[in-house]
Amino acid sequence: MKYFFYVMGLLLLSFGIALTILSDLGTSPFDALLVGLSFNVGLTVGSWEIIIAAIMIAGNAMLGRQKPELLGIMTAVIVGIGIDFWLHTLSTAIAPVDITSQIFYFTAGLFAVGVGTAIYLHTNFAPIPVDRLTLLVKELAKTNLFFSRTAIYLMFLVLAIFFGGPIGIGTVLTVCFGGLILNAIMPVTGKTLDRILLPKGQIIP
């Protein structure tokens, strides 16, 4: 059951990413990089999700002087396949024609990303390469999580601009509100999943 929610969370996450891309309002710096690489270099957005994750896992291992966390590849493969599936499935049905529809699809995507991430994280199964990099930068630079995460976002933002990724107001909104939405959803998702996954008598009130 735990692995079912792990996969479902990642598929919902990828669904949200696809919605933000199709909203044409701008995506997160990381997703903007993936789209820019797809448009200007080739391959699909999901393929670049897997490639960048593999590069980050190798880089994290060198930075942390430890073995590569190969389970992160599994996460990237599921998310990458999910992104390509949803983009292919939804691209003919979702074509925003005005700012109202753009905002609607982007907002729906942002919340889907938050819920999917919360479900996936609660299973505590496979590490996310970007989260591991955030912690490594924090330790190496002897700073806080806010600084390290911001530095990584800025790095992806520069790369996304270089490769012509979809940068817009949605990018700013994702950076500003993505974490807040996740923090708000995590407690509710955690309690709900605990009631499903934990045996009776072990549920934490």
Side-chain angles (χ1 to χ4, degrees):
M1 184 65 74
K2 171 182 177 181
Y3 303 116
F4 170 80
F5 283 109
Y6 163 75
V7 174
M8 289 302 101
L10 292 179
L11 290 179
L12 183 57
L13 166 62
S14 62
F15 174 71
I17 291 172
L19 283 181
T20 61
I21 292 172
L22 293 173
S23 74
D24 200 27
L25 204 62
T27 66
S28 74
F30 182 73
D31 296 329
L33 171 61
L34 302 182
V35 175
L37 286 168
S38 179
F39 283 163
N40 295 288
V41 180
L43 301 179
T44 64
V45 176
S47 297
W48 282 110
E49 167 79 30
I50 298 168
I51 293 169
I52 297 298
I55 293 172
M56 291 181 67
I57 288 171
N60 290 345
M62 289 187 288
L63 281 174
R65 297 181 180 179
Q66 59 190 16
K67 292 181 180 179
E69 296 177 312
L70 297 180
L71 281 178
I73 288 292
M74 184 186 304
T75 300
V77 167
I78 296 173
V79 173
I81 292 173
I83 291 173
D84 285 346
F85 170 77
W86 291 120
L87 285 176
H88 177 75
T89 304
L90 300 173
S91 58
T92 54
I94 295 179
V97 293
D98 52 38
I99 187 64
T100 302
S101 56
Q102 284 182 292
I103 293 173
F104 173 78
Y105 289 122
F106 176 81
T107 303
L110 198 59
F111 275 95
V113 167
V115 175
T117 302
I119 293 172
Y120 150 70
L121 286 177
H122 195 72
T123 63
N124 196 29
F125 181 55
I128 304 174
V130 70
D131 287 343
R132 174 58 66 191
L133 179 60
T134 300
L135 293 173
L136 285 171
V137 171
K138 172 182 175 293
E139 293 171 4
L140 293 173
K142 296 181 179 179
T143 184
N144 54 44
L145 286 174
F146 174 77
F147 178 86
S148 58
R149 176 65 89 182
T150 301
I152 291 169
Y153 268 139
L154 287 174
M155 176 187 70
F156 284 133
L157 181 61
V158 171
L159 290 172
I161 293 172
F162 179 79
F163 285 103
I167 302 298
I169 185 62
T171 307
V172 178
L173 293 174
T174 300
V175 173
C176 293
F177 296 107
L180 293 175
I181 292 173
L182 180 60
N183 285 335
I185 291 173
M186 279 288 284
V188 179
T189 303
K191 288 181 180 180
T192 303
L193 290 181
D194 283 343
R195 292 182 185 281
I196 298 172
L197 297 175
L198 294 180
K200 272 191 172 181
Q202 293 187 23
I203 298 175
I204 301 173

